[in-house]
Structure formats: structure tokens, C-alpha cells
Amino acid sequence: MQTDLNLDIDCQATAHKVTQFLDKKLDHYLALSGKRRFDLKSPSIDGMPKAPTKGNTSENRMLAIWFAEQVVDCVGCAMRNMTKESQKILLNRYSDQMLTYTIAQELSISSATYSRKQEQALCEFADRFEYQVVKHGIVKEVNDLHVYPRSDK
């Protein structure tokens, strides 16, 4: 049996795409869900059904809120399940909104080492976020954060 998994990613481009998501799109999902960046650190209880139906305008608004809650939950779960170092880097940056040089100082690493480790953490986030999106049943609604190398073969 042959699977068509492309496990090779363009780590630099993926890290950039994840950064755009965490810096820009996440705020929209947080606002719709009524949560804050700090809430990414805390596990949330999901009592909502996994496949709501589409209907009138009120139902569509409720669906948008439900979807935003699912995305925020996926982000939080992904971050909380990362390796300790990656978790510290991303939660400090995107939940506590610490400056990068402050995080590097806290980790006792140089800014160059921090940049490399942050890129790795962002790529790890893309992997773990993808898992959570599948687990939450919203894979069709959420774009993959990975960027794959072009193959011109």
C-alpha cells in the first residue's frame, strides 16, 4: 500500500505562514469566541456538537462563533502539546505577548539561536495544529499552515 504523504515542508515558509496566522487571523477567532490570548494556556471544555447544521442568519452567526471556538481550542491544544521548549517560545510570544529578545534572555540563548528555535517551534505548531483540526472535525474549513516545496519534476 502506497500513501501519498508529503512530509517535507519548507520550514521557513511554513514558519512565516504560521506567524501570519498567529499574528493576524487568530485575533479574529479570539474575538468571535469571546476568548483572550491568555486563554490559550488553559484547557477548554468543549460541549458543542461536532457538526452543526447550516440554516438561517441566526444559525449562521452561531455557527461562526462555534467555528471560532473550535479554531481557538485547536490553537490552545496544539500549543499545550508541543515540546517544552517550543511551548515556552510560542506561549510566551503569542499568549503572553512577550518580546522576542525577552524570551531569548529568559531561555538564556542568543538571538540567532532563538530565531532558529522559533522557526522550529512554528513548524512544530503547524504539525500539531493540523492534528487538532482533524480531531475537531474542521479540516475542510481550515487551511493547512504547511508550505510544501515545489516539485518541478
Side-chain angles (χ1 to χ4, degrees), residues 50-51 66 70 74 132-141:
K50 292 296 180 204
W66 171 85
Q70 294 303 303
C74 288
Q132 291 298 326
V133 164
V134 170
K135 183 177 172 185
H136 281 75
I138 57 173
V139 72
K140 291 180 183 175
E141 294 85 2

Side-chain angles (χ1 to χ4, degrees), residues 16-134:
H16 178 73
K17 191 171 180 179
V18 170
T19 299
Q20 292 297 311
F21 173 79
L22 293 173
D23 279 342
K24 303 217 176 359
K25 289 185 180 181
L26 181 58
D27 286 331
H28 173 71
Y29 294 126
L30 286 165
L32 265 178
S33 69
K35 296 184 180 180
R36 299 160 297 154
R37 285 184 176 268
F38 183 78
D39 295 326
L40 297 174
K41 290 183 172 185
S42 305
S44 60
I45 308 264
D46 175 21
M48 299 295 289
K50 292 296 180 204
T53 58
K54 294 187 180 185
N56 64 30
T57 304
S58 293
E59 288 175 353
N60 288 341
R61 287 177 26 203
M62 288 175 57
L63 182 63
I65 291 168
W66 171 85
F67 177 70
E69 288 175 338
Q70 294 303 303
V71 172
V72 170
D73 191 43
C74 288
V75 170
C77 287
M79 285 193 178
R80 288 187 305 274
N81 287 296
M82 296 176 73
T83 60
K84 289 291 184 201
E85 186 175 60
S86 292
Q87 184 180 67
K88 188 164 189 72
I89 288 170
L90 293 190
L91 284 175
N92 282 343
R93 180 74 185 104
Y94 295 104
S95 178
D96 297 336
Q97 297 185 296
M98 291 173 63
L99 299 174
T100 55
Y101 73 86
T102 306
I103 301 168
Q105 283 180 329
E106 193 173 283
L107 295 173
S108 301
I109 57 176
S110 70
S111 58
T113 300
Y114 174 81
S115 293
R116 184 175 43 80
K117 289 180 182 274
Q118 181 184 30
E119 185 176 282
Q120 291 169 346
L122 291 165
C123 289
E124 180 184 347
F125 174 82
D127 293 341
R128 295 188 184 273
F129 181 70
E130 182 176 9
Y131 169 77
Q132 291 298 326
V133 164
V134 170

